[in-house]
Amino acid sequence: MKTKGYIGTYTKKDGKGIYRFDVDENDQTIEKVEVGYEVEASTYVTNHNQFLYAIKKDGDDCGVASFLINEDGSLTFINDCLDSQEGTGCHISVSKDGQFLFEAVYGAGLVRLYKLDHENGGINGLIDVYRAEGHGPNEARQESSHVHFVQQTPDLDFLATVDLGADAVRTFKFSDEGLELVETLETQAGSGPRHLAFHPNGDYAYLVNELSNTIQVLSYKNGKFAEISPTLMTIHEDFDLNSQVGAVRLSHDGQFIYVSNRGHNSIAVYKILGDGALIETVEIITSGGTWPRDFNITPSDSFLVVAHEHSYNLVLFSRNKETGKLTEIENEQKAAEGVCVQFI
């Protein structure tokens, strides 16, 4: 069985934008790593059905682009929407019905909302832009708002956003009329929240904090988050060099959480206990490269692929479904400046 994957990259040095690859799950190898489409600053990609969406920049014009995913995994450009000059995004996602695309813009602290044509995959236009405010105590990293994550909530009623610069998790109502702020959770000052991932039951979310190298459990209900448990470290406590959380993913069976650590260059594994309100550390292992910006788990739950932004290598791990533990099995394939991993 072969699983198709895509890598989003920076294009500051050697990266080309979007790479594509296959995981041969029978042979346990990564193969056919090649440029899928050259797109400037395509640092995050996501798919909805047979369409792939990517962050895009053209000169000072910024926004997103859409592609048709062909049967062989190649990409056909559909269109783009580059209606902003306030910086490229760092994270995008699509609503479950395929009618809206959400974009987080780190530098300017923005949330951008786009309208999609869910039938042909095209981007119909930019609906609204929300400009976040706030700052944190870390003067070097939190001088202003830095929105880093946007995703529809499991109840499908709200949009959840994570703001590293303001130590905040916000929820919005969204529609063809635009964005409406509903709730704000203020997280620990200076923690620098980056991404979150929801439990399959929709009642809990796991928030990772970039600056404090921690993970914590949040409860979620009707657009409101609350902190419910102490934080756990994502790196070894005796590590005293620079490290920053990169990404968080859940196994598809909802039993385990995985977190990447840049600088510590590791993957932390946690077991979800009971209904999801508690977690415990399973292991923290080397990621096999330098600066593991993102990773993802194959739909079969059998393998995990890590993209390393600085060392360029893709590392393939096999995954024990019973224990959640990882075993490195390949470390040779390259995707320059890789910062996002998505499977279809």
Side-chain angles (χ1 to χ4, degrees), residues 190-241:
S191 60
R194 179 181 174 95
H195 283 192
L196 62 78
F198 283 97
H199 189 280
N201 65 20
D203 294 334
Y204 302 102
Y206 306 99
L207 179 71
V208 290
N209 300 298
E210 176 174 332
L211 302 183
S212 61
N213 295 287
T214 56
I215 181 171
Q216 63 188 117
V217 184
L218 307 179
S219 64
Y220 171 78
K221 187 174 183 180
N222 297 329
K224 187 173 183 178
F225 290 95
E227 297 174 311
I228 63 168
S229 68
T231 61
L232 294 178
M233 294 297 295
T234 64
I235 61 175
H236 298 124
E237 293 189 6
D238 60 354
F239 187 77
D240 58 4
L241 301 177

Side-chain angles (χ1 to χ4, degrees), residues 11 63 71 122 157 162 197 207 283 316:
T11 53
E71 188 173 344
D157 292 330
V162 180
L207 179 71
E283 65 176 355
L316 178 67

Side-chain angles (χ1 to χ4, degrees), residues 68-328:
L68 173 67
I69 302 172
N70 299 307
E71 188 173 344
D72 64 355
S74 63
L75 300 174
T76 299
F77 177 74
I78 299 174
N79 75 338
D80 58 29
C81 180
L82 307 177
D83 285 352
S84 177
Q85 288 77 43
E86 294 192 88
T88 54
C90 60
H91 186 271
I92 56 173
S93 62
V94 176
S95 61
K96 187 174 182 180
D97 61 10
Q99 296 193 45
F100 298 95
L101 185 147
F102 317 107
E103 181 185 22
V105 183
Y106 177 88
L110 307 177
V111 181
R112 294 198 280 242
L113 174 66
Y114 300 84
K115 182 67 174 180
L116 301 180
D117 186 323
H118 66 282
E119 293 183 354
N120 67 25
I123 304 163
N124 287 346
L126 178 63
I127 297 174
D128 195 12
V129 179
Y130 176 86
R131 188 178 303 277
E133 298 180 350
H135 60 86
N138 186 322
E139 295 181 1
R141 296 293 309 279
Q142 296 183 305
E143 78 293 347
S144 64
S145 167
H146 294 305
V147 183
H148 215 308
F149 175 90
V150 284
Q151 182 179 308
Q152 188 177 25
T153 54
D155 54 23
L156 308 183
D157 292 330
F158 300 93
L159 175 67
T161 72
V162 180
D163 191 331
L164 184 151
D167 292 319
V169 178
R170 302 184 184 91
T171 49
F172 297 81
K173 279 288 191 180
F174 63 92
S175 69
D176 290 328
E177 304 302 315
L179 295 162
E180 177 188 352
L181 179 63
V182 175
E183 292 281 352
T184 300
L185 169 68
E186 295 182 359
T187 63
Q188 182 179 4
S191 60
R194 179 181 174 95
H195 283 192
L196 62 78
F198 283 97
H199 189 280
N201 65 20
D203 294 334
Y204 302 102
Y206 306 99
L207 179 71
V208 290
N209 300 298
E210 176 174 332
L211 302 183
S212 61
N213 295 287
T214 56
I215 181 171
Q216 63 188 117
V217 184
L218 307 179
S219 64
Y220 171 78
K221 187 174 183 180
N222 297 329
K224 187 173 183 178
F225 290 95
E227 297 174 311
I228 63 168
S229 68
T231 61
L232 294 178
M233 294 297 295
T234 64
I235 61 175
H236 298 124
E237 293 189 6
D238 60 354
F239 187 77
D240 58 4
L241 301 177
N242 174 52
S243 187
Q244 305 168 21
V245 164
V248 58
R249 307 277 188 182
L250 264 65
S251 56
H252 299 287
D253 62 11
Q255 298 298 307
F256 295 93
I257 306 167
Y258 297 82
V259 179
S260 62
N261 300 295
R262 300 165 294 167
H264 192 252
N265 298 329
S266 63
I267 303 294
V269 185
Y270 305 88
K271 181 174 178 55
I272 298 174
L273 306 177
D275 67 350
L278 295 173
I279 62 175
E280 66 180 13
T281 305
V282 174
E283 65 176 355
I284 303 175
I285 66 168
T286 178
S287 65
T290 306
W291 217 249
R293 176 67 173 260
D294 195 25
F295 64 94
N296 217 326
I297 302 168
T298 58
S300 68
D301 257 350
S302 297
F303 299 93
L304 183 148
V305 174
V306 184
H308 292 89
E309 180 183 346
H310 292 175
S311 56
Y312 293 2
N313 59 318
L314 303 179
V315 179
L316 178 67
F317 290 88
S318 63
R319 180 179 170 272
N320 186 309
K321 296 181 183 179
E322 298 300 320
T323 66
K325 291 185 176 182
L326 302 174
T327 301
E328 181 181 323

